[in-house]
Amino acid sequence: MTERPNGLTYAQAGVDIDAGNALVDAIKPLAKATRRPGAEASLGGFGALFDLKAAGYDDPLLVTTTDGVGTKLKIAIETGLHDTVGIDLVAMCVNDLLAQGAEPLMFLDYLATSKLDVAVATRVIAGIAEGCKLAGAALVGGETAEMPGMYAGADYDLAGFSVGAVDRNRVLPRMDDQGAGDLLIGLASSGPHSNGYSLIRKIVERSGLAWDAPAPFAEGQTLAQALMTPTRIYARSLTPLIKAGQVKGLAHITGGGLTENPPRAIAEGLAARFDWDAWPLPPVFAWLAETGGVAQEEMRRTFNCGLGMVLIVGAEKAPAVLDALLGAGEDAFICGELTAA
């Protein structure tokens, strides 16, 4: 092709194809480490294949979810703490899969930025790979986009897409099987997870604390480190219980908190009655409420308040389910019951 004098290039427009190729080379070992039965997790093709038969399913339904990390990313960008937002990204997607009874199988990511910083992107994707290992999902691909003019400075955004499978007779919630007297089991969260960070950032601004100030609610951590604690992934502890048919419903407590999310997993005519004294409000939430002057009801409809997941189980199965969860390393406890609405 003829060279043109003073011709523009893609790089001069702000997009560096060589940087993108360098990133792919850097993350290939990360993706390879997430291999699981049914997926080879190889990068470089135009799509990814998954063998459901190899994963052990007889009558499978596919379940898909997609999500992001939200404005928690602003803290990562402002402080340079990029290593765990990838775990958040995976968690927000795969915990939703679990709520449908699905086992996480595959994960793909999308990273968009103004100018690709290979070192930062590698740290982010290393976190995604770690999240996939925690979830038992294969990182099978993704997309990185440089979009100068759409993003400013060091800003970037993340989106995730996950695919899971569930045998037809294990789909959750099993609303026809629910009844008054079923118990609610809470699984402790690791903090705010990835929800409510627009409010959190407003509260931090009101507090006058810098991101590198000691966290008032977490000894030995800066404020930023404490608030960047990654979202807990519950796949390893919940998948065996779901497959064994011991769970009637699951609510992933995300945006909307404990007010909006549980009803999505509960049959019509029933309602969740929480025992609010069954668990202590974690210090991070107590600090947010006090510093921001946030009313109790607003806290419960914005944050998880210490519960990352809520299970619905029959009263007769609750002791065995609790034992299994505790044995799997979860902080689990009875936190309420279903009642007639």
Side-chain angles (χ1 to χ4, degrees), residues 86-216:
I87 299 176
D88 287 304
L89 184 68
V90 176
M92 295 304 292
C93 293
V94 301
N95 286 342
D96 278 353
L97 287 179
L98 295 171
Q100 299 292 146
E103 176 188 10
L105 301 178
M106 294 186 287
F107 190 85
L108 298 98
D109 66 274
Y110 175 77
L111 188 157
T113 184
S114 172
K115 182 172 179 57
L116 182 61
D117 184 322
V118 174
V120 169
T122 301
R123 290 168 64 190
V124 171
I125 296 173
I128 293 172
E130 177 62 23
C132 286
K133 287 190 281 187
L134 292 171
L139 178 57
V140 296
E143 179 71 16
T144 303
E146 281 187 294
M147 295 191 287
M150 286 287 289
Y151 296 90
D155 284 351
Y156 65 89
D157 199 8
L158 291 174
F161 177 78
S162 55
V163 179
V166 56
D167 275 321
R168 196 177 302 270
N169 62 342
R170 291 288 182 247
V171 174
L172 294 179
R174 297 185 351 238
M175 292 185 175
D176 292 344
D177 195 26
Q178 296 176 6
D182 285 347
L183 296 180
L184 306 178
I185 295 178
L187 299 186
S189 67
S190 56
H193 284 179
S194 299
N195 304 107
Y197 273 78
S198 295
L199 177 56
I200 288 172
R201 288 167 48 246
K202 284 284 187 184
I203 293 171
V204 169
E205 183 181 342
R206 174 180 287 191
S207 77
L209 293 175
W211 289 124
D212 59 358

